[in-house]
């Protein structure tokens, strides 16, 4: 057995599915449901299904917008806390089947699944465990049966899912039958990421601002102790050692669902870029919520902002001036000629674990190595920004690591920020 193989075995490493999921980097969250028609964030489960009547619902518009902006997966709230189901479930009549929309024959989950397949992006579902409509909720065992039947419909009827989003809100102090729920996910969707509860394969970052604290390590051990992850104390023992973070945030400040006349709450491109630097730039994944309106369309202003955000990411990071991969304590990048740079993006080859725990970035300026910045975690990705310098060589010097560093990519950019 080679030395590197031995070292790899000692470190916690991601599963192939986690590895692929971390590469996605950008996901679009989509909160849509009975709340959309009631100007509210948390319905009590008492709003009549007759209120659900989008006159122009177009899931292709939602998914196309996500794709055009560079997002690589899409998650729909199949059921939020109010219990209203966006698919024609056999478990309750509190669903689209009891609504006037498409004369009760519509299925929002299917339209989204199909649109994602057409556009070639991943599809995931959010299914709230907390259910404020379902009478059996009062009886934990009965409700577990109900919830598992709902999950079974969703896990088996809509093709491959990239992620199942389990929201802890409203469930404080409540125990669900997680071993049974996990077994269902494993049976029907063995490749899907499990968000946050049960035996999660990805974790909540601990806030709804879309930002990861730095350093944001990938291992369960480092997140368990963190002030942000009380939920992690309840994870099942089957939770893998590698549990990367997902950062969720709505594009309209603090609003997950659409409400009339709130365009002024849209985050600016600068704010979104700040979020990007502090989520993707800290090695986590960003899940940005954009909510369809009561017509069933993403509002024009929100789409415009989303696309501006995508364009800004591409204009800053779409074209590296130079890049290299390498291993060992020093990875050096020689530029074809001296040029102005202001960003370095480094990726570890995390298939071999998270090895680097302290590093410094340096540029060769006027015949000497100049320190640009230093940090601790790199993981899937670290974006470092600094005042522009003209350099013909840049190097990453690893000061501390758990095993010999493996750098998948070190790239330099001139973003002009
Ligand atoms: C929270 C929920 O209570 C919000 O309504 C929203 O769904 C957000 C993503 O998660 O816990």
């Amino acid at each position: 057995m080679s030395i590197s193989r031995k070292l790899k075995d000692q470190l916690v490493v991601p599963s192939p599915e986690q590895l692929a999921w971390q590469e996605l980097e950008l996901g679009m969250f989509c909160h849509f449901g009975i709340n959309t028609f009631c100007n509210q964030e948390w319905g009590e489960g008492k709003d009549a299904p007759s209120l659900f009547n989008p006159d122009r619902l177009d899931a292709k518009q939602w998914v196309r917008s996500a794709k055009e902006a560079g997002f690589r997966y899409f998650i729909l709230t199949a059921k939020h806390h109010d219990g209203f189901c966006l698919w024609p479930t056999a478990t309750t009549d509190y669903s689209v089947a009891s609504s006037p929309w498409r004369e009760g024959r519509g299925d929002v989950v299917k339209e989204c699944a199909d649109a994602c397949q057409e556009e070639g992006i991943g599809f995931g579902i959010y299914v709230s465990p907390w259910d404020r409509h379902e009478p059996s909720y009062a009886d934990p065992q009965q409700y577990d049966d109900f919830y598992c039947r709902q999950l079974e419909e969703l896990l088996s009827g809509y093709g491959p899912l990239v992620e199942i989003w389990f929201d802890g809100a409203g469930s404080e102090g409540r125990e669900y039958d997680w071993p049974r729920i996990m077994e269902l996910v494993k049976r029907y969707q063995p490749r899907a990421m499990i968000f946050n509860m049960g035996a999660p394969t990805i974790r909540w970052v601990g806030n709804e601002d879309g930002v990861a604290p730095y350093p944001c390590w990938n291992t369960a051990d480092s997140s368990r102790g963190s002030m942000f992850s009380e939920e992690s104390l309840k994870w099942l023992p089957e939770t893998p050692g590698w549990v990367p973070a997902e950062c969720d945030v709505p594009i309209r400040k603090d609003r997950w669902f659409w409400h009339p006349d709130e365009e002024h709450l849209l985050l600016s491109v600068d704010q979104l870029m700040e979020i990007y630097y502090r989520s993707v730039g800290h090695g986590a994944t960003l899940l940005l919520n954009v909510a369809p309106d009561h017509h069933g369309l993403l509002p024009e202003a929100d789409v415009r902002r989303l696309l501006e955000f995508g364009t800004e990411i591409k204009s800053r990071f779409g074209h590296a001036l130079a890049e290299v991969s390498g291993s060992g304590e020093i990875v050096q990048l020689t530029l074809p000629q001296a040029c102005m740079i202001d960003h370095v993006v480094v990726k570890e080859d995390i298939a071999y674990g998270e090895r680097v725990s302290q590093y410094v970035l340096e540029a060769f300026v006027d015949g000497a190595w100049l320190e640009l910045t230093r940090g601790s975690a790199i993981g899937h990705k670290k974006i470092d920004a600094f005042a522009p310098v003209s350099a013909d060589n840049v190097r990453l010097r690893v000061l501390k690591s758990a095993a010999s560093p493996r750098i998948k990519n070190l790239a330099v950019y001139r973003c002009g920020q």
Side-chain angles (χ1 to χ4, degrees):
M1 189 187 275
S2 72
I3 291 175
S4 66
R5 175 82 194 136
K6 265 194 231 151
L7 288 171
K8 181 177 167 183
D9 288 344
Q10 285 163 12
L11 289 175
V12 179
V13 295
S15 68
E17 289 79 20
Q18 288 175 317
L19 206 52
W21 181 85
Q22 286 188 263
E23 282 292 337
L24 299 178
E25 293 188 355
L26 290 173
M28 192 172 114
F29 216 171
C30 182
H31 276 62
F32 183 66
I34 198 89
N35 289 337
T36 310
F37 301 85
C38 306
N39 197 8
Q40 67 198 4
E41 284 287 301
W42 274 18
E44 292 178 9
K46 294 184 184 133
D47 301 302
S50 56
L51 295 169
F52 185 89
N53 197 14
D55 55 348
R56 291 163 59 200
L57 189 143
D58 182 3
K60 289 187 187 178
Q61 184 239 10
W62 310 351
V63 174
R64 212 182 313 116
S65 306
K67 172 84 183 275
E68 269 176 40
F71 286 61
R72 300 190 189 91
Y73 67 103
F74 175 95
I75 296 187
L76 172 73
T77 51
K79 180 185 84 164
H80 203 250
H81 310 322
D82 49 68
F84 186 78
C85 299
L86 291 184
W87 78 105
T89 174
T91 60
T92 172
D93 56 9
Y94 200 50
S95 82
V96 284
S98 307
S99 80
W101 176 63
R102 306 228 202 283
E103 291 165 342
R105 285 192 287 273
D107 184 341
V108 186
V109 179
K110 177 153 178 25
E111 295 196 19
C112 288
D114 290 350
C116 285
Q117 207 188 8
E118 221 170 279
E119 291 292 342
I121 70 174
F123 178 53
I125 46 165
Y126 165 117
V127 203
S128 172
W130 184 33
D131 189 320
R132 306 177 88 184
H133 175 84
E134 173 52 28
S136 73
Y137 192 78
D139 178 333
Q141 239 177 328
Q142 241 191 306
Y143 180 74
D144 281 338
D145 289 344
F146 171 86
Y147 189 58
C148 283
R149 276 189 288 130
Q150 292 198 323
L151 279 172
E152 210 160 343
E153 290 178 351
L154 289 167
L155 298 172
S156 65
Y158 297 93
L161 299 172
V162 72
E163 180 173 336
I164 325 290
W165 221 87
F166 292 111
D167 188 345
S171 293
E172 296 79 6
R174 170 75 173 235
E175 287 298 321
Y176 301 97
D177 191 348
W178 286 113
R180 181 173 166 198
I181 296 168
M182 292 299 101
E183 196 276 315
L184 279 180
V185 177
K186 285 276 151 297
R187 181 171 356 137
Y188 292 107
Q189 298 286 342
R191 307 198 60 190
M193 290 297 110
I194 299 165
F195 176 81
N196 192 42
M197 298 178 89
T201 53
I202 55 176
R203 70 181 200 267
W204 186 44
V205 78
N207 62 71
E208 292 183 338
D209 306 319
V211 300
Y214 183 76
C216 182
W217 307 106
N218 284 288
T219 58
D221 276 352
S222 52
S223 67
R224 266 178 206 278
S226 121
M227 61 191 273
F228 297 113
S229 57
E230 280 192 11
E231 194 52 54
S232 71
L233 301 172
K234 288 183 247 147
W235 291 345
L236 297 176
E238 301 85 85
T239 304
W242 185 273
V243 194
E246 181 179 61
C247 306
D248 58 322
V249 62
I251 197 164
R252 294 188 182 194
K253 180 91 186 123
D254 297 332
R255 296 301 232 179
W256 293 99
F257 285 90
W258 175 83
H259 302 262
D261 306 320
E262 285 191 348
E263 286 77 10
H264 61 282
L265 294 180
L266 272 173
L267 301 183
S268 66
V269 174
D270 283 351
Q271 286 171 315
L272 290 168
M273 286 309 294
E274 180 64 24
I275 286 171
Y276 180 82
Y277 277 77
R278 295 172 69 191
S279 53
V280 175
H282 287 178
T285 293
L286 173 60
L287 183 63
L288 178 66
N289 187 75
V290 189
D293 63 13
H294 60 317
H295 295 297
L297 291 172
L298 295 183
E300 268 175 38
D302 300 49
V303 173
R304 216 175 309 122
R305 187 54 44 83
L306 181 71
L307 295 177
E308 284 166 358
F309 176 41
T311 303
E312 189 60 33
I313 296 172
K314 271 180 227 135
S315 93
R316 290 192 200 183
F317 301 110
H319 174 70
L321 294 171
E323 56 192 321
V324 74
S325 60
S327 54
E329 262 121 58
I330 294 183
V331 175
Q332 187 163 331
L333 171 61
T334 302
L335 285 91
Q337 76 236 9
C339 47
M340 293 299 279
I341 58 166
D342 54 14
H343 281 72
V344 174
V345 179
V346 187
K347 295 174 77 170
E348 269 191 271
D349 192 346
I350 52 173
Y352 294 88
E354 194 160 45
R355 298 185 165 200
V356 178
S357 58
Q358 214 180 308
Y359 72 88
V360 52
L361 278 171
E362 296 167 326
F364 201 66
V365 180
D366 297 334
W369 287 105
L370 169 80
E371 179 171 327
L372 298 171
T373 183
R374 53 177 63 213
S376 50
I378 295 177
H380 167 68
K381 183 176 271 191
K382 177 72 198 304
I383 301 179
D384 279 309
F386 43 84
V389 287
S390 174
D392 55 10
N393 268 284
V394 172
R395 72 181 183 189
L396 168 79
R397 208 150 50 78
V398 176
L399 305 175
K400 228 168 135 187
S401 62
S404 180
R406 299 181 74 123
I407 303 304
K408 194 171 180 182
N409 194 258
L410 183 159
V412 296
Y413 299 83
R414 167 69 167 146
C415 301
Q417 299 310 308

